[in-house]
């Protein structure tokens, strides 16, 4: 049920919750309902649905047809209360850089 702790808190562990939804709009609304957005997972063979999920699901990382969202050459991070910014990948390295302009006249 939607009021279960697992449906309202951000779990840190291997958890798979399965629910049925009336349609794609309801599914996306449920995915975005909470103030958390670290990672999301979806399985579909429909390219249009894949593109819509990528555009509308509010998560820092989205895995489609797989369970891995972490790669060393890709940014790792969440949105909303699940974090700000990313680590790893080009985006993470740039956050640790100090840019300095030196000019000699």
């Amino acid at each position: 049920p939607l009021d279960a702790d697992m449906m309202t808190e951000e779990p840190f562990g291997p958890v798979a919750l399965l629910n049925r939804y009336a349609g794609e709009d309801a599914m996306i609304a449920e995915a975005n309902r909470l103030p958390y957005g670290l990672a999301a997972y979806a399985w579909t063979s429909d390219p249009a649905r894949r593109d819509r999920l990528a555009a509308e699901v509010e998560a820092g990382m989205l895995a489609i047809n797989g369970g891995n969202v972490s790669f060393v050459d890709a940014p790792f991070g969440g949105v909303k209360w699940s974090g700000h910014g990313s680590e790893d990948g080009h985006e993470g390295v740039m956050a640790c850089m100090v840019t300095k302009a030196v000019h000699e006249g």
Side-chain angles (χ1 to χ4, degrees), residues 46-104:
D46 181 344
R49 176 174 283 165
R50 179 198 62 219
D51 293 346
R52 183 173 181 207
L53 293 172
E56 295 185 25
V57 171
E58 298 168 356
M61 299 168 289
L62 174 63
I64 297 180
N65 298 332
N68 197 353
V69 294
S70 179
F71 299 92
V72 296
D73 60 343
F76 181 97
V79 297
K80 302 194 262 186
W81 289 5
S82 294
H84 300 283
S86 296
E87 58 191 54
D88 296 336
H90 172 76
E91 296 80 359
V93 171
M94 294 310 294
C96 298
M97 302 297 291
V98 175
T99 303
K100 182 186 291 185
V102 178
H103 302 275
E104 183 176 341

Side-chain angles (χ1 to χ4, degrees), residues 26-39:
M27 178 183 61
I28 292 171
E30 177 60 23
N32 295 335
R33 175 177 64 91
L34 297 176
Y36 309 109
L38 181 59

